[in-house]
Amino acid sequence: MSRRDAAMTYVERGWHVFALSAGKSPLANCPTCRTGAHRAPAEMEACGCLTCHGFYSATTDLDRVAAMFAGHPDRLLAIRTGKVSGIAVVDVDPPEGLDTMRDLMAEGLLPETCAQRTGSGGWHLLYEHPGGYVMSGAGKIGRKIDSKADGGYIVASPSIHPRTGEPYTWRWDYPTAPLAPMHPTLVARLRPEPPAPRLATGTGFTTLTSKRLQGLVDTVLKAEDGNGNNSLYWASCKAGEMVAKGEISEQVAFAALSAAAAQLGIPERDAGRSPQHGTIGSGLRRGTR
Ligand SMILES: [Zn+2]
Ligand SMILES: [Zn+2]
């Protein structure tokens, strides 16, 4: 199947698709977007550029998809996972992950579903997204089994794996097999930790570094209407620098910033549900660089 036909089939299923480099990495942002013109997830999704912001560029608009690949025969076709596409994917890395997969199957945790053989000899098991937030991450389901759900993506057939030269292929050669619901036990493993207790502002900070963190929180809380997300991003970058210097832990920074975001009324899906997600996650990563 050509990339174009494959993309059409995916889009028909409601899956959002986008382009990766031949090496499986996201394409570089354009100079404007590189300067941070679009930082919050909603801004990145609304960005008019064709391929900026990685999986946020994923779309069901086939003209846009065609333009992403025009003149770039080496680019890989990828599917954005998570609520937006209605899928949560169990990503099995060979060889150890195959053993874990067998164990999970024996436990009845991996019902038969739409599946893709990866170019490295592993599997992508595609399940119905259960709603709410489902975390993505390495080893979250078991040894060498990753989750690709909200905030994630998978490389898709007919892409060729850059290391092995082998193609991604759908089981039974077609990606139209029905999606089974994800087993509740797996879903439970992929829910975020309950939110950290809120830090009262203006109290409880004694050390100099804690006072600096408090200063960042206060700045976020003083943000003017409509500027909350930018302010949160700025504070997250600064907090990331403190994390990089070992002054505070990532968890402490995240707890303080997410509490401030909640007080400002920034939705959790934008602010980020963990230190790896959303505006806070982007800021912390940037700050620690
Ligand atoms: Zn751009
Ligand atoms: Zn942009």
Side-chain angles (χ1 to χ4, degrees):
M1 201 188 295
S2 69
R3 270 184 321 195
R4 185 190 174 80
D5 289 349
M8 206 181 300
T9 312
Y10 303 156
V11 164
E12 273 167 19
R13 294 202 78 168
W15 300 345
H16 287 51
V17 301
F18 67 107
L20 292 173
S21 77
K24 262 175 83 173
S25 54
L27 299 168
N29 281 0
C30 74
T32 307
C33 295
R34 218 174 295 150
T35 62
H38 309 118
R39 287 165 176 165
E43 291 172 337
M44 295 191 279
E45 279 170 357
C47 172
C49 299
L50 210 49
T51 59
C52 291
H53 310 298
F55 67 75
Y56 290 106
S57 68
T59 177
T60 54
D61 179 336
L62 286 169
D63 291 337
R64 275 181 76 90
V65 176
M68 286 176 187
F69 290 96
H72 297 283
D74 57 331
R75 285 184 177 173
L76 305 186
L77 182 58
I79 299 169
R80 180 177 179 184
T81 54
K83 211 181 308 172
V84 65
S85 291
I87 50 176
V89 180
V90 173
D91 177 12
V92 180
D93 285 335
E96 300 99 314
L98 296 171
D99 294 332
T100 314
M101 179 171 78
R102 268 186 285 275
D103 294 345
L104 291 170
M105 279 177 165
E107 289 174 66
L109 298 181
L110 296 176
E112 184 82 3
T113 192
C114 182
Q116 178 178 237
R117 181 90 170 157
T118 70
S120 62
W123 288 98
H124 288 152
L125 310 179
L126 281 68
Y127 290 101
E128 230 173 65
H129 192 282
Y133 191 83
V134 181
M135 292 190 290
S136 297
K140 288 217 183 290
I141 296 174
R143 190 174 144 68
K144 289 289 173 184
I145 299 202
D146 305 344
S147 167
K148 300 286 173 66
D150 290 298
Y153 60 87
I154 54 170
V155 178
S157 173
S159 300
I160 303 289
H161 193 285
R163 181 172 49 78
T164 63
E166 294 291 327
Y168 288 71
T169 51
W170 292 99
R171 198 174 171 200
W172 306 299
D173 292 328
Y174 225 65
T176 46
L179 301 179
M182 184 175 252
H183 194 286
T185 302
L186 286 199
V187 176
R189 285 181 200 173
L190 299 175
R191 295 300 193 192
E193 301 285 306
R198 290 188 182 190
L199 300 182
T201 55
T203 56
F205 288 103
T206 46
T207 68
L208 187 61
T209 52
S210 293
K211 277 181 189 153
R212 281 178 51 210
L213 181 60
Q214 180 69 65
L216 297 178
V217 166
D218 290 344
T219 306
V220 174
L221 291 174
K222 280 186 223 138
E224 289 174 14
D225 280 354
N227 201 34
N229 231 321
N230 285 341
S231 178
L232 180 64
Y233 180 75
W234 171 85
S236 302
C237 292
K238 293 287 172 195
E241 290 169 14
M242 294 173 71
V243 172
K245 287 182 201 151
E247 294 172 348
I248 50 172
S249 76
E250 192 180 58
Q251 280 303 332
V252 163
F254 176 75
L257 292 163
S258 60
Q263 284 190 39
L264 265 191
I266 298 174
E268 199 185 41
R269 64 170 183 275
D270 295 335
R273 287 171 171 77
S274 81
Q276 283 77 45
H277 292 108
T279 304
I280 298 173
S282 316
L284 288 175
R285 271 197 302 281
R286 192 183 175 99
T288 48
R289 237 185 255 146

